[in-house]
Amino acid sequence: MKGKEGVAPMKKKKRIPWSLLYIAATIVAVVLFGVFNREFGNVFATMAGLTPGWLSLAIVITVIFFGFEGGIIRLLMRSQHIPMGWGSGIKIGLIGIYYSYITPSSTGGQPMQAAYLRRDNIPVGLSTAVLLMKFFCYQCAFVLCSIVFYAMMYGKIQAENPGILPLIVLGLVINGGSILFFASLFIKPVFHVICRFAKWLASRFRFLRERFHLMETIDKFEADFGSFTDNFKEKKASVLWGIVLSVPQFFLQMSVIFFIFRAFGYQDASYWEIVAVQSLLQVSVSFMPMPGASGAQEIGFSSYFRGYFIHNDLYAAVMVWRFFTYYLVVIAGALLVVADQFLYRRRQLRAGVQESMSEKR
């Protein structure tokens, strides 16, 4: 049917519900995650025979670990005069951990955090700078503590399991090198060279250059990122606090295995020894390219902790440990992502309705 002027009215273009598709994809991914991981199903039967009090403590310190993650992000954001509540900080922290765990080499964490912060009108360049500084703070604590534990455990490892020493040294070198690399990004001339290279690379692809305005986008990203290093002296205190607070956060993350160790009924190794071994395991496999260092974590655990779980329960310990340090975090992150997407979509629909009503008036 034609309109008054003889022109057929244009049909309103349907928008693709990306947020709903994203939610569906997340749910499917988690379901497949459980279906194709037989250990995930067996772990509950194993935990049924363990001491529940120690397992509960493992969950408690994991929650506190999330609190530190969000708190440090909040601290660094506030140094940029960006207000952020505790709830928002913890949400962004957990989302970053979740995407780090499900992407190769933990590459998805910071980009997805920046994407979520972009919804709150925080420039991508600025949020990226803050999130990379958060990673820098944690890496400093991680490497420093691991070096101390390496010195503490060297004699015992040399006598009982010398084959893992080269892996530990390699991990310390790689993780130490990452500290230098990310620190160099906050030197403006260095970052400018990186951005110029990105612009040169983008100029090789005409469709990217014209369709996505990459040249202007890269310039804006560089300016926003560089704003973090402006007046850096004013931010030194927050960065130092970020490093200091990352130390107890690191201990919380490394402590989960101790409570699992005690849940299995073992008492013949101290807290410091178990945490030290866990730290050295983490530094040895953290650079592996698989999502969550899957495979490397399990194999490494079997090698590093074979002298601690000695009652034919090493494989069971691996399953329980991975459940608390990986599977549980993935499940919690997926639930948060789905809930947040539903709430965000509802806010968008509500805002659209209000806008439509105001236009009619």
Side-chain angles (χ1 to χ4, degrees):
M1 186 175 178
K2 293 186 178 181
K4 292 180 179 179
E5 298 180 2
V7 179
M10 294 180 64
K11 292 183 178 180
K12 189 175 181 180
K13 187 178 180 181
K14 292 184 177 180
R15 295 181 61 186
I16 300 174
W18 291 111
S19 58
L20 291 180
L21 292 176
Y22 181 71
I23 291 170
T26 301
I27 294 173
V28 170
V30 173
V31 171
L32 293 176
F33 180 83
V35 170
F36 289 103
N37 283 274
R38 287 178 295 178
E39 295 86 353
F40 181 72
N42 297 334
V43 74
F44 295 104
T46 302
M47 285 194 297
L50 303 180
T51 307
W54 290 110
L55 295 180
S56 299
L57 285 174
I59 295 175
V60 169
I61 65 166
T62 300
V63 173
I64 298 173
F65 167 80
F66 293 149
F68 270 86
E69 182 76 8
I72 296 171
I73 292 174
R74 178 175 178 267
L75 171 70
L76 295 173
M77 283 291 181
R78 289 168 69 89
S79 74
Q80 285 292 118
H81 308 291
I82 299 173
M84 176 176 281
W86 281 100
S88 296
I90 293 173
K91 181 186 77 172
I92 294 299
L94 181 54
I95 284 172
I97 296 171
Y98 167 68
Y99 282 105
S100 293
Y101 278 13
I102 64 173
T103 53
S105 299
S106 302
T107 53
Q110 284 82 15
M112 290 306 300
Q113 285 175 313
Y116 274 79
L117 290 169
R118 180 68 183 85
R119 297 188 326 192
D120 298 326
N121 299 316
I122 299 175
V124 174
L126 179 56
S127 62
T128 301
V130 171
L131 295 168
L132 288 181
M133 183 56 70
K134 164 65 181 72
F135 179 76
F136 169 82
C137 292
Y138 185 80
Q139 283 295 99
C140 287
F142 176 32
V143 172
L144 177 62
C145 293
S146 296
I147 290 173
V148 172
F149 286 138
Y150 177 67
M152 184 180 87
M153 295 295 296
Y154 179 82
K156 183 177 178 65
I157 295 173
Q158 177 67 36
E160 299 177 1
N161 197 6
I164 65 175
L165 289 175
L167 291 174
I168 297 172
V169 173
L170 178 61
L172 288 172
V173 170
I174 292 176
N175 283 280
S178 73
I179 293 175
L180 298 177
F181 172 76
F182 286 106
S184 70
L185 295 180
F186 293 91
I187 302 173
K188 281 195 171 184
V190 174
F191 192 69
H192 179 64
V193 170
I194 294 174
C195 290
R196 283 186 62 185
F197 174 75
K199 290 174 69 173
W200 173 85
L201 196 62
S203 68
R204 305 297 97 185
F205 302 93
R206 183 177 177 181
F207 74 99
L208 289 175
R209 184 176 69 251
E210 295 179 353
R211 183 174 180 181
F212 297 104
H213 308 289
L214 277 184
M215 299 303 177
E216 296 84 353
T217 301
I218 293 172
D219 286 337
K220 186 177 186 307
F221 181 86
E222 181 181 1
D224 292 336
F225 190 98
S227 67
F228 186 87
T229 56
D230 293 336
N231 303 318
F232 188 73
K233 290 182 179 179
E234 298 177 6
K235 303 180 182 70
K236 279 185 177 179
S238 61
V239 173
L240 289 175
W241 269 112
I243 296 172
V244 170
L245 291 173
S246 293
V247 173
Q249 184 192 15
F250 169 78
F251 274 94
L252 287 167
Q253 186 181 28
M254 297 299 109
S255 296
V256 172
I257 182 57
F258 173 75
F259 296 106
I260 293 172
F261 179 74
R262 294 300 303 271
F264 272 83
Y266 292 104
Q267 302 181 27
D268 53 343
S270 69
Y271 167 81
W272 295 107
E273 182 175 345
I274 296 297
V275 170
V277 175
Q278 172 63 75
S279 170
L280 297 178
L281 166 60
Q282 189 68 21
V283 82
S284 300
V285 302
S286 59
F287 54 88
M288 295 297 177
M290 296 78 72
S294 296
Q297 288 275 16
E298 290 83 353
I299 295 172
F301 187 97
S302 300
S303 178
Y304 281 67
F305 283 98
R306 67 188 184 191
Y308 295 91
F309 293 91
I310 56 177
H311 296 151
N312 200 30
D313 51 9
L314 181 60
Y315 179 70
V318 172
M319 290 195 302
V320 175
W321 170 69
R322 282 299 272 173
F323 175 79
F324 280 97
T325 60
Y326 183 65
Y327 300 143
L328 194 60
V329 177
V330 168
I331 293 170
L335 292 174
L336 175 62
V337 166
V338 170
D340 183 71
Q341 285 293 327
F342 268 122
L343 293 173
Y344 178 67
R345 181 171 174 79
R346 191 171 70 174
R347 287 196 300 268
Q348 280 188 317
L349 291 173
R350 189 178 299 170
V353 170
Q354 291 177 349
E355 184 180 349
S356 177
M357 291 177 63
S358 62
E359 287 178 354
K360 288 180 180 180
R361 291 173 186 171

Short mmCIF file of all heavy atoms in Angstrom, two decimals, residues 73-106:
data_model
loop_
_atom_site.label_atom_id
_atom_site.label_comp_id
_atom_site.label_asym_id
_atom_site.label_seq_id
_atom_site.Cartn_x
_atom_site.Cartn_y
_atom_site.Cartn_z
N ILE A 73 41.48 -1.99 40.36
CA ILE A 73 40.99 -1.31 39.15
C ILE A 73 40.32 0.00 39.54
O ILE A 73 40.55 1.05 38.91
CB ILE A 73 40.01 -2.21 38.39
CG1 ILE A 73 40.75 -3.41 37.79
CG2 ILE A 73 39.30 -1.44 37.28
CD1 ILE A 73 39.85 -4.44 37.13
N ARG A 74 39.51 -0.03 40.57
CA ARG A 74 38.83 1.18 41.05
C ARG A 74 39.83 2.23 41.48
O ARG A 74 39.68 3.43 41.17
CB ARG A 74 37.91 0.80 42.22
CG ARG A 74 37.16 1.95 42.86
CD ARG A 74 36.21 1.43 43.92
NE ARG A 74 35.52 2.51 44.59
CZ ARG A 74 35.93 3.09 45.71
NH1 ARG A 74 37.06 2.66 46.30
NH2 ARG A 74 35.24 4.07 46.27
N LEU A 75 40.88 1.81 42.18
CA LEU A 75 41.92 2.74 42.63
C LEU A 75 42.59 3.44 41.45
O LEU A 75 42.76 4.67 41.45
CB LEU A 75 42.96 1.97 43.44
CG LEU A 75 44.25 2.72 43.82
CD1 LEU A 75 43.95 3.79 44.85
CD2 LEU A 75 45.31 1.76 44.33
N LEU A 76 42.95 2.68 40.43
CA LEU A 76 43.63 3.25 39.27
C LEU A 76 42.69 4.12 38.44
O LEU A 76 43.12 5.12 37.85
CB LEU A 76 44.24 2.13 38.42
CG LEU A 76 45.35 1.32 39.10
CD1 LEU A 76 45.76 0.14 38.23
CD2 LEU A 76 46.56 2.20 39.40
N MET A 77 41.42 3.75 38.38
CA MET A 77 40.45 4.58 37.67
C MET A 77 40.27 5.92 38.39
O MET A 77 40.21 6.98 37.74
CB MET A 77 39.10 3.86 37.59
CG MET A 77 39.04 2.77 36.53
SD MET A 77 39.10 3.45 34.85
CE MET A 77 38.97 1.94 33.89
N ARG A 78 40.19 5.87 39.68
CA ARG A 78 40.01 7.11 40.45
C ARG A 78 41.22 8.02 40.35
O ARG A 78 41.09 9.24 40.49
CB ARG A 78 39.69 6.77 41.90
CG ARG A 78 38.30 6.18 42.09
CD ARG A 78 38.12 5.59 43.47
NE ARG A 78 38.10 6.63 44.49
CZ ARG A 78 37.00 7.25 44.90
NH1 ARG A 78 35.83 6.93 44.36
NH2 ARG A 78 37.04 8.16 45.85
N SER A 79 42.39 7.45 40.10
CA SER A 79 43.58 8.30 39.88
C SER A 79 43.43 9.11 38.60
O SER A 79 44.13 10.11 38.43
CB SER A 79 44.84 7.43 39.82
OG SER A 79 44.92 6.73 38.59
N GLN A 80 42.55 8.66 37.70
CA GLN A 80 42.25 9.40 36.46
C GLN A 80 40.98 10.24 36.62
O GLN A 80 40.43 10.72 35.63
CB GLN A 80 42.03 8.41 35.31
CG GLN A 80 43.29 7.78 34.78
CD GLN A 80 44.15 8.81 34.07
OE1 GLN A 80 45.27 9.07 34.48
NE2 GLN A 80 43.63 9.41 33.01
N HIS A 81 40.53 10.38 37.87
CA HIS A 81 39.33 11.15 38.19
C HIS A 81 38.09 10.55 37.52
O HIS A 81 37.16 11.28 37.13
CB HIS A 81 39.49 12.63 37.78
CG HIS A 81 40.74 13.26 38.31
ND1 HIS A 81 40.92 13.53 39.65
CD2 HIS A 81 41.88 13.65 37.68
CE1 HIS A 81 42.11 14.07 39.84
NE2 HIS A 81 42.72 14.15 38.67
N ILE A 82 38.09 9.22 37.41
CA ILE A 82 36.93 8.50 36.87
C ILE A 82 36.26 7.78 38.04
O ILE A 82 36.83 6.85 38.61
CB ILE A 82 37.34 7.48 35.80
CG1 ILE A 82 38.01 8.18 34.62
CG2 ILE A 82 36.14 6.67 35.33
CD1 ILE A 82 38.59 7.22 33.59
N PRO A 83 35.07 8.22 38.45
CA PRO A 83 34.40 7.57 39.59
C PRO A 83 33.99 6.15 39.24
O PRO A 83 33.50 5.87 38.15
CB PRO A 83 33.18 8.47 39.83
CG PRO A 83 32.92 9.13 38.51
CD PRO A 83 34.26 9.30 37.87
N MET A 84 34.20 5.24 40.17
CA MET A 84 33.81 3.83 39.97
C MET A 84 33.49 3.23 41.32
O MET A 84 34.28 3.32 42.26
CB MET A 84 34.93 3.05 39.29
CG MET A 84 34.64 1.56 39.13
SD MET A 84 35.93 0.66 38.22
CE MET A 84 35.50 1.11 36.54
N GLY A 85 32.32 2.61 41.42
CA GLY A 85 31.92 1.97 42.66
C GLY A 85 32.59 0.62 42.82
O GLY A 85 33.15 0.06 41.88
N TRP A 86 32.48 0.07 44.05
CA TRP A 86 33.08 -1.23 44.31
C TRP A 86 32.44 -2.32 43.46
O TRP A 86 33.12 -3.20 42.94
CB TRP A 86 32.92 -1.57 45.80
CG TRP A 86 33.92 -0.90 46.67
CD1 TRP A 86 33.74 0.21 47.43
CD2 TRP A 86 35.29 -1.29 46.86
NE1 TRP A 86 34.89 0.55 48.08
CE2 TRP A 86 35.86 -0.35 47.76
CE3 TRP A 86 36.07 -2.32 46.36
CZ2 TRP A 86 37.18 -0.43 48.16
CZ3 TRP A 86 37.40 -2.41 46.77
CH2 TRP A 86 37.94 -1.49 47.66
N GLY A 87 31.12 -2.26 43.32
CA GLY A 87 30.44 -3.27 42.52
C GLY A 87 30.89 -3.26 41.07
O GLY A 87 31.14 -4.31 40.48
N SER A 88 31.03 -2.06 40.50
CA SER A 88 31.48 -1.94 39.11
C SER A 88 32.91 -2.44 38.96
O SER A 88 33.25 -3.11 37.98
CB SER A 88 31.37 -0.49 38.64
OG SER A 88 30.03 -0.06 38.63
N GLY A 89 33.75 -2.11 39.95
CA GLY A 89 35.14 -2.55 39.89
C GLY A 89 35.25 -4.07 39.92
O GLY A 89 36.01 -4.67 39.14
N ILE A 90 34.48 -4.72 40.81
CA ILE A 90 34.52 -6.18 40.91
C ILE A 90 33.96 -6.81 39.63
O ILE A 90 34.49 -7.81 39.14
CB ILE A 90 33.73 -6.65 42.14
CG1 ILE A 90 34.46 -6.20 43.42
CG2 ILE A 90 33.55 -8.16 42.14
CD1 ILE A 90 33.69 -6.46 44.70
N LYS A 91 32.90 -6.20 39.08
CA LYS A 91 32.32 -6.72 37.84
C LYS A 91 33.34 -6.67 36.70
O LYS A 91 33.54 -7.67 36.00
CB LYS A 91 31.08 -5.91 37.45
CG LYS A 91 30.41 -6.41 36.17
CD LYS A 91 29.27 -5.52 35.74
CE LYS A 91 29.79 -4.25 35.07
NZ LYS A 91 28.70 -3.45 34.48
N ILE A 92 34.01 -5.53 36.54
CA ILE A 92 35.00 -5.39 35.47
C ILE A 92 36.17 -6.35 35.72
O ILE A 92 36.70 -6.96 34.78
CB ILE A 92 35.50 -3.94 35.38
CG1 ILE A 92 34.37 -3.01 34.93
CG2 ILE A 92 36.68 -3.82 34.43
CD1 ILE A 92 33.83 -3.34 33.55
N GLY A 93 36.55 -6.52 36.98
CA GLY A 93 37.64 -7.43 37.31
C GLY A 93 37.31 -8.87 36.95
O GLY A 93 38.11 -9.57 36.33
N LEU A 94 36.11 -9.32 37.34
CA LEU A 94 35.71 -10.70 37.07
C LEU A 94 35.53 -10.94 35.57
O LEU A 94 35.90 -12.00 35.05
CB LEU A 94 34.42 -11.03 37.81
CG LEU A 94 33.87 -12.46 37.64
CD1 LEU A 94 34.93 -13.50 37.98
CD2 LEU A 94 32.62 -12.66 38.49
N ILE A 95 34.99 -9.94 34.86
CA ILE A 95 34.84 -10.07 33.41
C ILE A 95 36.21 -10.23 32.75
O ILE A 95 36.39 -11.05 31.84
CB ILE A 95 34.09 -8.84 32.84
CG1 ILE A 95 32.60 -8.95 33.16
CG2 ILE A 95 34.30 -8.71 31.33
CD1 ILE A 95 31.80 -7.72 32.82
N GLY A 96 37.19 -9.47 33.22
CA GLY A 96 38.54 -9.58 32.66
C GLY A 96 39.15 -10.95 32.91
O GLY A 96 39.75 -11.55 32.02
N ILE A 97 38.98 -11.47 34.13
CA ILE A 97 39.51 -12.81 34.45
C ILE A 97 38.81 -13.86 33.61
O ILE A 97 39.45 -14.79 33.08
CB ILE A 97 39.34 -13.10 35.95
CG1 ILE A 97 40.18 -12.12 36.78
CG2 ILE A 97 39.75 -14.53 36.27
CD1 ILE A 97 39.91 -12.19 38.26
N TYR A 98 37.49 -13.74 33.47
CA TYR A 98 36.72 -14.71 32.69
C TYR A 98 37.20 -14.78 31.25
O TYR A 98 37.48 -15.87 30.73
CB TYR A 98 35.23 -14.32 32.74
CG TYR A 98 34.37 -15.04 31.73
CD1 TYR A 98 34.13 -16.41 31.84
CD2 TYR A 98 33.78 -14.34 30.67
CE1 TYR A 98 33.34 -17.07 30.91
CE2 TYR A 98 32.98 -15.00 29.74
CZ TYR A 98 32.77 -16.35 29.87
OH TYR A 98 31.99 -17.00 28.95
N TYR A 99 37.33 -13.64 30.60
CA TYR A 99 37.75 -13.65 29.20
C TYR A 99 39.23 -14.03 29.06
O TYR A 99 39.62 -14.60 28.04
CB TYR A 99 37.48 -12.29 28.56
CG TYR A 99 36.04 -12.09 28.19
CD1 TYR A 99 35.21 -11.25 28.95
CD2 TYR A 99 35.47 -12.77 27.12
CE1 TYR A 99 33.88 -11.09 28.63
CE2 TYR A 99 34.14 -12.61 26.79
CZ TYR A 99 33.35 -11.77 27.55
OH TYR A 99 32.03 -11.62 27.24
N SER A 100 40.02 -13.75 30.07
CA SER A 100 41.42 -14.21 30.04
C SER A 100 41.49 -15.73 30.08
O SER A 100 42.34 -16.34 29.44
CB SER A 100 42.20 -13.61 31.22
OG SER A 100 42.33 -12.22 31.10
N TYR A 101 40.58 -16.32 30.85
CA TYR A 101 40.59 -17.77 31.02
C TYR A 101 40.09 -18.52 29.79
O TYR A 101 40.41 -19.71 29.62
CB TYR A 101 39.73 -18.16 32.23
CG TYR A 101 40.43 -18.03 33.56
CD1 TYR A 101 41.64 -17.34 33.67
CD2 TYR A 101 39.89 -18.57 34.71
CE1 TYR A 101 42.27 -17.21 34.88
CE2 TYR A 101 40.53 -18.45 35.94
CZ TYR A 101 41.71 -17.76 36.01
OH TYR A 101 42.35 -17.64 37.22
N ILE A 102 39.28 -17.88 28.96
CA ILE A 102 38.69 -18.61 27.82
C ILE A 102 39.32 -18.22 26.49
O ILE A 102 38.87 -18.68 25.44
CB ILE A 102 37.16 -18.40 27.75
CG1 ILE A 102 36.82 -16.93 27.47
CG2 ILE A 102 36.49 -18.89 29.01
CD1 ILE A 102 35.34 -16.69 27.21
N THR A 103 40.35 -17.36 26.51
CA THR A 103 41.02 -16.97 25.27
C THR A 103 42.49 -17.39 25.32
O THR A 103 43.09 -17.44 26.40
CB THR A 103 40.94 -15.44 25.05
OG1 THR A 103 41.42 -14.76 26.22
CG2 THR A 103 39.52 -15.02 24.77
N PRO A 104 43.08 -17.70 24.16
CA PRO A 104 44.49 -18.13 24.13
C PRO A 104 45.42 -17.06 24.70
O PRO A 104 45.27 -15.86 24.41
CB PRO A 104 44.76 -18.35 22.63
CG PRO A 104 43.41 -18.61 22.04
CD PRO A 104 42.46 -17.76 22.83
N SER A 105 46.38 -17.50 25.50
CA SER A 105 47.39 -16.62 26.10
C SER A 105 46.77 -15.48 26.91
O SER A 105 47.40 -14.42 27.08
CB SER A 105 48.32 -16.05 25.02
OG SER A 105 49.00 -17.09 24.36
N SER A 106 45.55 -15.67 27.39
CA SER A 106 44.86 -14.66 28.20
C SER A 106 44.76 -13.31 27.50
O SER A 106 44.83 -12.26 28.13
CB SER A 106 45.60 -14.49 29.55
OG SER A 106 45.67 -15.72 30.23
#
